[in-house]
Amino acid sequence: MENEYDVDTEEEEEEEEESSTNNTGSEYALLLPGQTLRIQIGDVSASRKAWKKRRRNSSPILIPCSILGMNREWMVRWNAMTLLHQIGEESPATGGAVGVSYGKLARAYKQRLRGDLREHAKALGHDSVESLLQSLFDDRIQAEYGVQTFVEPQHGNLMLTTALTRRQARNFSNSAGLVQFQPEPEDDSEINDSHKMIHTGIAQVRLSTSTGSRPKFTQEPLGAALRVSPYDEAAERYQPGDEFNAFVYSYESYGDNESPLLVMSADDPRGKGVALGGTFGTSTRVFKRRIIKTGLWLQFLLIPMQPLSTVESGEREARSMVVVS
């Protein structure tokens, strides 16, 4: 999926973008394998094996699920890293490393993701975007992801840099999915942590007919499924309503029936024992089982999987629609 386009627009275009930013608080998260999201298991009887591999006993099983939300701090961190990899350029100011100024990053965040880093800084207890970025990319994150903050010596501007080359950075970020989230409302009686982002059931997909440096996008309902091994004993214990933190395994803009499909996994697809993905709840294990009641401010409705169309990938096969009431 190609998401690159020029963010250095003229002044009037920037003002138009700023005035058109939505007032609902919703924005898009750039999702890549290894990120942690909160999910809820759907109809386990609708599970099925991977397309083109159904006759193989060892083929993975896809269980319908809903995406509930994600940790706010980690959403902003991943968004900043992925934008850096998408728009960063090699610069003498960074010693030849790929980097982006915090100002350009903030503009790209607003234009591409419809979010405001200043609002996130305030919500996470920082008085500026610079302070937020310095907190998000400390020594631990630098060691894990190779991304760090850097003060440009000539003008004193804060920059974000990556250890990847420009080509590696573009390849790394090219497959990111655009999935919509919004902050959990402050008046929600069940809230116990204000740093949560709730999934709206929507993904943003680039139109196949869109070309040029300013591509056009459309919103589509997001399908989701949990990928499990047929030899995983835990797979038999999943029940409808189970909630736990899972890892993004893959994202397909045109998955089942040409709609976006997000495949999750209970294990980190990067092969890391413990993820630095931030937890939406308190554990990566199942710890909460509930029946969704009518009348909640946000209701997730699991629709049984529809007949599959012919697809190209073994991961494009299960589908669970998430509907916002």
Side-chain angles (χ1 to χ4, degrees):
M1 182 178 68
E2 297 180 4
N3 286 332
E4 292 187 40
Y5 59 92
D6 186 13
V7 297
D8 290 329
T9 57
E10 296 183 359
E11 183 176 353
E12 57 268 21
E13 292 178 339
E14 292 181 359
E15 292 176 353
E16 181 180 353
E17 286 284 356
E18 185 167 352
S19 64
S20 64
T21 301
N22 68 76
N23 296 319
T24 64
S26 61
E27 64 179 77
Y28 294 99
L30 290 159
L31 298 186
L32 286 166
Q35 290 180 247
T36 305
L37 306 179
R38 188 73 169 174
I39 70 171
Q40 183 178 70
I41 296 297
D43 183 3
V44 295
S45 66
S47 305
R48 62 179 61 190
K49 290 187 176 181
W51 185 259
K52 292 186 178 181
K53 299 181 181 179
R54 293 183 188 174
R55 295 182 180 179
R56 302 179 187 176
N57 293 332
S58 60
S59 61
I61 298 171
L62 296 183
I63 302 174
C65 70
S66 295
I67 305 301
L68 299 182
M70 68 187 305
N71 178 275
R72 184 173 194 161
E73 179 179 314
W74 272 95
M75 184 198 74
V76 177
R77 181 181 283 116
W78 274 98
N79 280 349
M81 284 195 295
T82 306
L83 284 175
L84 162 65
H85 292 140
Q86 288 182 345
I87 68 175
E89 297 291 347
E90 297 173 346
S91 170
T94 59
V98 172
V100 63
S101 67
Y102 86 90
K104 183 176 181 179
L105 180 69
R107 290 193 297 273
Y109 200 103
K110 179 171 292 188
Q111 293 172 13
R112 296 192 181 196
L113 308 182
R114 297 297 186 264
D116 193 333
L117 285 178
R118 293 171 298 181
E119 293 297 324
H120 286 301
K122 181 180 179 181
L124 294 172
H126 298 277
D127 58 6
S128 66
V129 174
E130 297 96 314
S131 174
L132 171 66
L133 293 176
Q134 289 173 329
S135 174
L136 291 177
F137 298 98
D138 55 17
D139 293 341
R140 181 184 64 145
I141 300 302
Q142 179 184 349
E144 177 74 11
Y145 296 100
V147 175
Q148 64 178 330
T149 56
F150 171 81
V151 178
E152 188 269 315
Q154 184 174 358
H155 301 98
N157 294 325
L158 184 72
M159 302 188 71
L160 204 60
T161 65
T162 177
L164 299 180
T165 66
R166 186 183 186 279
R167 184 170 185 175
Q168 289 172 333
R170 296 299 192 268
N171 290 339
F172 175 78
S173 61
N174 194 45
S175 61
L178 282 165
V179 177
Q180 192 180 67
F181 292 83
Q182 63 186 19
E184 190 169 29
E186 296 180 358
D187 59 350
D188 192 325
S189 60
E190 296 184 358
I191 190 171
N192 56 18
D193 182 355
S194 61
H195 298 160
K196 295 179 181 179
M197 299 295 290
I198 305 300
H199 179 46
T200 66
I202 297 297
Q204 183 168 264
V205 180
R206 180 172 179 169
L207 294 174
S208 58
T209 56
S210 177
T211 59
S213 61
R214 302 287 292 180
K216 295 182 179 180
F217 295 85
T218 185
Q219 291 184 336
E220 297 284 350
L222 178 68
L226 178 68
R227 181 184 190 272
V228 298
S229 166
Y231 305 114
D232 186 355
E233 296 180 356
E236 298 180 359
R237 299 198 294 268
Y238 291 131
Q239 295 184 21
D242 285 352
E243 291 183 18
F244 54 98
N245 299 313
F247 300 93
V248 174
Y249 182 84
S250 65
Y251 174 84
E252 295 289 344
S253 297
Y254 298 96
D256 184 34
N257 292 332
E258 297 188 351
S259 291
L261 175 64
L262 185 65
V263 178
M264 306 297 296
S265 172
D267 301 310
D268 192 338
R270 299 171 299 171
K272 301 180 185 294
V274 179
L276 293 177
T279 56
F280 181 84
T282 59
S283 171
T284 56
R285 302 282 184 180
V286 173
F287 76 93
K288 187 175 182 181
R289 182 166 289 156
R290 72 177 182 181
I291 299 175
I292 301 176
K293 299 179 181 180
T294 305
L296 295 178
W297 78 274
L298 183 63
Q299 183 177 25
F300 297 91
L301 175 64
L302 296 175
I303 299 176
M305 291 189 299
Q306 303 298 319
L308 293 168
S309 58
T310 302
V311 292
E312 298 177 357
S313 169
E315 301 309 331
R316 305 176 186 177
E317 64 248 35
R319 155 169 210 151
S320 170
M321 302 301 294
V322 185
V323 180
V324 181
S325 60

